[in-house]
Amino acid sequence: QINTAFAESLSVTPQTLVGTALADLIHPDDRVYALCAVRGLAPGAAVRDLYCRVASGGRTLQLACNLKRMQNRGILMIARDVTRQRDSAAAEHEEKTEQIERAANELVADMSHSFKTPLNVIISSLNLLRTKLQMENADGFAKDYARFLDYADASSYRLLRLITNLVDLGRAELGM
């Protein structure tokens, strides 16, 4: 027996489905999984909430099926159309994923800005110190610390380049 509402949801008549093999209705990607569950049923055994897609009449429905193997009478299948619930759950999951990605990108952009500001101060201070050294002509000071100033200067610019790359990456991810 075929439920009229089920047949209509597939855009076919109940008479069209009578005698149709279950495998012919199941979406090809779900077929092996569903058939293994059905073939493994012993007489009197049941499977609850077997999720599979059914394709018919140009539509694909997502079904939650309860199956029971009857004593020498085939399989009784009760199917519920859960397409809307599954689609809305998938859309909700996708929206949450996008929100997380946006938050992560904003965090990277904020962190990059937070690092960039003090580095600019360090670089400016180093440049000011170097200028002061040149103006005062303090030979002893310059000999002892010039090498360390060069290291600090080079490292600061290296960090600034890395952070600029992070900012650019964040902007690209945000579509800016």
Side-chain angles (χ1 to χ4, degrees):
Q1 294 179 339
I2 305 295
N3 180 296
T4 305
F6 176 70
E8 287 174 1
S9 69
L10 294 175
S11 302
V12 296
T13 63
Q15 295 77 17
T16 307
L17 292 176
V18 173
T20 301
L22 182 61
D24 293 340
L25 292 175
I26 298 173
H27 191 280
D29 294 343
D30 297 345
R31 194 169 288 152
V32 171
Y33 161 72
L35 291 179
C36 284
V38 170
R39 288 183 183 141
L41 281 176
V47 172
R48 299 201 182 277
D49 289 331
L50 171 74
Y51 289 94
C52 64
R53 293 171 289 171
V54 174
S56 178
R59 293 189 62 204
T60 299
L61 301 177
Q62 296 181 31
L63 302 179
C65 304
N66 294 333
L67 307 166
K68 182 171 183 176
R69 184 170 295 277
M70 307 305 286
Q71 300 292 337
N72 299 325
R73 294 198 150 242
I75 295 174
L76 173 67
M77 180 175 90
I78 299 173
R80 288 175 290 133
D81 182 359
V82 293
T83 305
R84 284 189 194 137
Q85 294 93 325
R86 302 276 293 219
D87 287 348
S88 66
E92 184 178 316
H93 176 72
E94 187 176 316
E95 182 179 328
K96 284 182 181 179
T97 301
E98 287 175 6
Q99 287 175 349
I100 290 169
E101 287 178 8
R102 274 194 304 272
N105 290 333
E106 288 174 12
L107 176 65
V108 168
D110 289 344
M111 285 177 44
S112 299
H113 179 73
S114 295
F115 282 120
K116 199 172 182 180
T117 301
L119 274 174
N120 281 325
V121 171
I122 292 169
I123 291 169
S124 298
S125 298
L126 289 171
N127 287 335
L128 210 78
L129 188 56
R130 183 173 278 118
T131 302
K132 185 174 179 175
L133 278 172
Q134 290 171 353
M135 289 174 58
E136 292 181 6
N137 199 14
D139 290 334
F141 184 81
K143 288 178 186 175
D144 292 337
Y145 294 103
R147 182 170 44 118
F148 298 112
L149 286 171
D150 289 338
Y151 292 156
D153 193 39
S155 295
S156 296
Y157 278 109
R158 190 174 309 126
L159 283 172
L160 184 60
R161 279 193 306 275
L162 289 172
I163 291 169
T164 300
N165 289 342
L166 276 175
V167 169
D168 291 342
L169 179 64
R171 286 182 180 151
E173 289 285 333
L174 292 171
M176 298 171 84

